[in-house]
Every structure is written in structure tokens, then in C-alpha cells.
Amino acid sequence: MPRIDENARDEDFWHAIAERYDVAPGPINLENGYFGRMTRGVAQDYQRNIDFINRSNSVHVRQQFDNTQSLDIRNQLAELLAVEHDSIALTNCASDALQSLIRNYNGLQPGDQLLISDLEYHSVEYAMRWVARQRGLEVIEIVHAHPATYEHLVASYRDAFERYPRIKLMALTHVTHRTGLVMPVEAIVQAAKEHGVDVILDGAHALGQIDFDLKALGIAFAGYNLHKWIGAPLTLGFIYIDPHRLADIDPDMGSERYPEPDIRTRAPYGTGNIPAWLTLPKVLQEHKDLGGSTAKGVRLNYLRDLWVNEARQLPGIEVLVPDDPRLQCAITSLRFTRLQDQQPIVDRLLKDYNLFTVARDGSACGSCIRITVGLATSVDDINQLIKALRELAQG
Ligand SMILES: Cc1ncc(COP(=O)(O)O)c(C=O)c1O
């Protein structure tokens, strides 16, 4: 078995991996951040499970899924994260998980402050602002300095905790969808602890492409999905709550479906996508067989570095994420500095170079083009991007 970093450069190996995905003819997809593709094997298993649940209906779901299978699947997820089985509740997506944590966190008094930054996902930001309106709290929003550095990011939180001593709860996004910046979660959580601030972690883009240890990060509350970098069917997510902190989160909408100390009461109520959940064991097996987040992350970063190293040399192009391995991942954004609005470049990338990307705004550092490589991306695809950037940089 070659070393993981050598493996990342092995185009034959990754070509064989790419062959596992059915890809429609059309543009080269460099917007793999929205959600991940399923492999053909997973898609077939999913289809089998749709047919099976359609045939067996509530007879199977009531007798097997509700009582045992869903718990077994939950336990597999807990093992993936190396956390206690009873620290996980299944949801339909990361937004459901995060919004439930935010609305049910019960440690807030009128006059307390909530902290967010300009890099949070909108469903998290909206929920924090909504909770503040409902309960007479104040939202403090910090704006991260640009270009970011590890030290500045941590310092900006320390500074906020010192300036606003009534902050009790904050949102933190492990990987921001706006630019692809990876947050120094452990150091920020440590600073928050020193100031008595609880953290709700948005892990949507982290799971499956970044190696992390939730316990070592010091996280008590987090929300995830499984349809980005793990490769599951759409509509799967989960809540993580440190069992020692379960009492700090109320049952969602007063749920009495399970006894109070059962974390499942913290998930929004509703019938989930059972065929998709039944497919998860196959997805987790494939993830593991490929080498897990470590192998995926090294490959994705290798592809990312190939285009970023070229783009950094081009006049008029700014790459927004620093080349600090602690702060980078598959998603990285760039900007053509001569333009306020980046959409015309996104349009030209598609029309003239057959490259599908997306314009993003909302971060204080301005609008940008988000480039997200994926497991089916090849070095040829990256070379096409480099060619396009070189030509477009000339005006
Ligand atoms: C950073 C971040 N957080 C949360 C979410 C929401 O995930 P979901 O679609 O599973 O609700 C996304 C989705 O793109 C995201 O990028």
C-alpha cells in the first residue's frame, strides 16, 4: 500500500475511483461543495432500499427500522466519530440539526449575547438572530480580517470575548461555505471555554474531508450532514451532543416521543428518508475502504494546491484562502480583483472553458468564485482550470 500522500498523486488509482461515479456529459463540475455524488454502488443500494421499503412499508419500518436498525445505524455513525452511541440523533440535514441545537439551548437569559461571524451559514445565522429576537438577546457579529491567518482568527474570538463579556453562546463553522476557509476550531473552543462561552459547531463541510477528533476539539454541540463529503444519499444529517451536556438542550418542540434523557427527543420530529438511512452502512464501508477522511482530504488538497499554486502567480487574481494546511481544504475561492461582481467570470468559465463553478458573496472580504474539487476531479480538469485562469487574467 503506497503512502497516502503518494497515493494522492496516483492518477491511475483516482481514475479508477472516478469511474465508480456516473457523471452526466456536460461541464466539468468544479462545484462539488453543494452536495457529493453517490458512487454507482451506493446509488444501486439506495435504489434497492427504496424498492424494499416501498414493498415492506410500515411492517418493516415499525418492526425493524424504528426499534433496532436505526439504532444500529446511529451506532455506526458514533463509531465513525469515535463518540458515545447515545450522543447522536438522526436528522434530515445539517440545518435541522443546527437549528434544533440553537432553538433548544436553554442556558440563555434576557440580555445575554450571542456571537456569530461573517462566515456562518445562513440557516445558522438566521436561527441565531431569531432566537435573539424571541428571547431578548443581543447578537454580536464579528468580521474576520482578510487575508486570514490562524493567529488572527483565534485572536478575533479572544478579542470578542473580552469586549463582550455577556456572550454565552456562539456559532462556529468548521469549514465556511463562503470561501472554503477552515477554522482553527480547537484553539477557538479553548478560548471560548476560558470565557464560559458554549459553542455550536457547524460541521457540514468538515465531515468526510477533514480528520478531526470531536473530543479533542472540545466540542459539546454540533450539527452535520452526510451528503457532502461522506457520499451518502441526500437528506441525511445528525446532531451531536456530549452526553454530559444533554440537559443543556431541551427536547425539540416539547417532544415526548422518547423518555426525556434520550437524545432522540432533540431531533426535529418527522418521518425520515428510511431507504437513505438503510444505505448508510454501505456508504460508510466505502468511505472506510478508501482510507476515510485522511485519504480523501490529502487527494482533495493535492488537487486544490495544483490550481492554487498557479493562480497565486497570476496578476489580478487573489486567492482568498491562505496556504496554511490547517486552514485549507477542497474548497477554495478566488477573485478577479478588477471586478466587483464575479458572475461574469463564472459565466465565461462555463461558456468558454466548459467549467462549472459558483459565485459566492456574503463574507466581509467580498464576492468571490468558489472552486470545489471532488473525488471525480482529475488533473486534466485542473489543467483546464489553470488554462482558463491564465487566459482570463489577461483581460
Ligand atoms: C457551512 C454549511 N453549513 C450548513 C449547511 C447546511 O447543510 P444542509 O443542506 O445539510 O442543511 C451547509 C450547506 O451547504 C453549509 O455549507
Side-chain angles (χ1 to χ4, degrees):
M1 183 81 176
R3 288 195 359 239
I4 275 180
D5 50 349
E6 284 167 11
N7 194 42
R9 292 157 203 266
D10 182 345
E11 281 312 289
D12 290 342
F13 174 83
W14 288 99
H15 178 71
I17 298 297
E19 288 285 296
R20 295 181 186 174
Y21 296 89
D22 284 328
V23 179
I28 296 167
N29 190 349
L30 293 178
E31 171 24 9
N32 292 283
Y34 192 169
F35 58 94
R37 278 197 183 87
M38 295 178 269
T39 62
R40 194 174 304 109
V42 167
Q44 285 165 353
D45 199 46
Y46 185 28
Q47 188 59 54
R48 260 194 304 277
N49 286 321
I50 291 172
D51 296 342
F52 170 67
I53 290 298
N54 196 43
R55 280 196 309 272
S56 58
N57 195 264
S58 55
V59 176
H60 177 86
V61 173
R62 287 206 187 281
Q63 291 182 337
Q64 305 285 327
F65 182 82
D66 285 351
N67 300 324
T68 50
Q69 264 180 333
S70 59
L71 290 177
D72 180 51
I73 289 164
R74 186 271 300 266
N75 295 350
Q76 291 188 35
L77 268 180
E79 276 148 34
L80 176 76
L81 280 119
V83 295
E84 298 88 340
H85 291 174
D86 61 354
S87 63
I88 286 189
L90 310 184
T91 65
N92 290 330
C93 59
S95 297
D96 275 4
L98 291 159
Q99 291 182 340
S100 181
L101 287 168
I102 293 167
R103 71 176 163 261
N104 296 312
Y105 177 82
N106 57 26
L108 298 166
Q109 304 297 327
D112 285 347
Q113 293 170 323
L114 304 177
L115 180 65
I116 58 173
S117 84
D118 62 313
L119 298 180
E120 257 62 81
Y121 192 68
H122 55 80
S123 60
V124 169
E125 180 193 338
Y126 299 158
M128 293 290 265
R129 293 195 189 283
W130 177 83
V131 162
R133 283 195 301 277
Q134 296 289 315
R135 305 211 198 141
L137 314 166
E138 185 187 358
V139 174
I140 306 296
E141 177 172 345
I142 56 170
V143 166
H144 290 295
H146 179 73
T149 67
Y150 184 99
E151 290 72 22
H152 275 144
L153 288 166
V154 181
S156 65
Y157 283 97
R158 283 199 177 278
D159 180 51
F161 300 144
E162 267 145 40
R163 285 177 51 205
Y164 303 102
R166 287 183 294 125
I167 295 175
K168 291 282 161 29
L169 180 69
M170 62 175 274
L172 182 62
T173 308
H174 200 151
V175 176
T176 178
H177 70 297
R178 297 202 196 278
T179 62
L181 184 71
V182 179
M183 283 286 165
V185 174
E186 189 175 348
I188 293 169
V189 171
Q190 179 57 38
K193 276 207 175 112
E194 288 164 23
H195 291 82
V197 176
D198 273 327
V199 178
I200 294 179
L201 183 70
D202 173 352
H205 265 298
L207 186 67
Q209 67 154 329
I210 291 185
D211 251 341
F212 61 84
D213 173 348
L214 263 186
K215 298 273 177 197
L217 293 180
I219 288 296
F221 312 112
Y224 289 95
N225 59 32
L226 294 153
H227 45 242
K228 288 196 189 289
W229 298 99
I230 290 286
L234 283 165
T235 72
L236 304 188
F238 65 95
I239 296 179
Y240 167 78
I241 303 175
D242 176 344
H244 299 107
R245 300 295 311 277
L246 188 63
D248 296 82
I249 307 290
D250 286 336
D252 191 44
M253 307 303 287
S255 173
E256 296 178 18
R257 192 170 190 208
Y258 302 98
E260 216 273 3
D262 190 320
I263 187 175
R264 286 178 290 177
T265 56
R266 275 62 174 183
Y269 180 79
T271 307
N273 185 344
I274 295 160
W277 283 113
L278 291 179
T279 309
L280 192 64
K282 164 97 178 157
V283 174
L284 295 181
Q285 190 58 51
E286 286 194 359
H287 175 73
K288 210 162 129 197
D289 291 346
L290 191 52
S293 310
T294 313
K296 285 184 182 175
V298 174
R299 167 66 177 179
L300 294 167
N301 269 293
Y302 164 68
L303 293 172
R304 177 259 182 212
D305 285 347
L306 284 182
W307 76 259
V308 168
N309 291 343
E310 292 292 328
R312 289 237 189 260
Q313 314 305 320
L314 295 173
I317 292 185
E318 184 191 8
V319 177
L320 302 187
V321 176
D323 290 325
D324 177 336
R326 298 169 299 178
L327 305 182
Q328 69 182 58
C329 66
I331 313 169
T332 289
S333 300
L334 63 88
R335 168 190 305 131
F336 280 67
T337 52
R338 65 177 188 268
L339 298 173
Q340 282 293 326
D341 177 9
Q342 302 293 311
Q343 189 59 43
I345 300 284
V346 168
D347 295 342
R348 283 205 61 196
L349 284 169
L350 185 59
K351 190 164 113 342
D352 299 343
Y353 299 95
N354 201 32
L355 294 166
F356 186 73
T357 58
V358 65
R360 292 273 101 186
D361 53 22
S363 69
C365 68
S367 65
C368 59
I369 300 168
R370 192 173 79 172
I371 309 284
T372 309
V373 297
L375 296 175
T377 305
S378 66
V379 169
D380 286 347
D381 298 338
I382 299 295
N383 287 338
Q384 172 71 356
L385 173 66
I386 292 169
K387 173 179 182 291
L389 294 179
R390 280 193 187 130
E391 290 177 10
L392 291 170
Q394 283 166 9

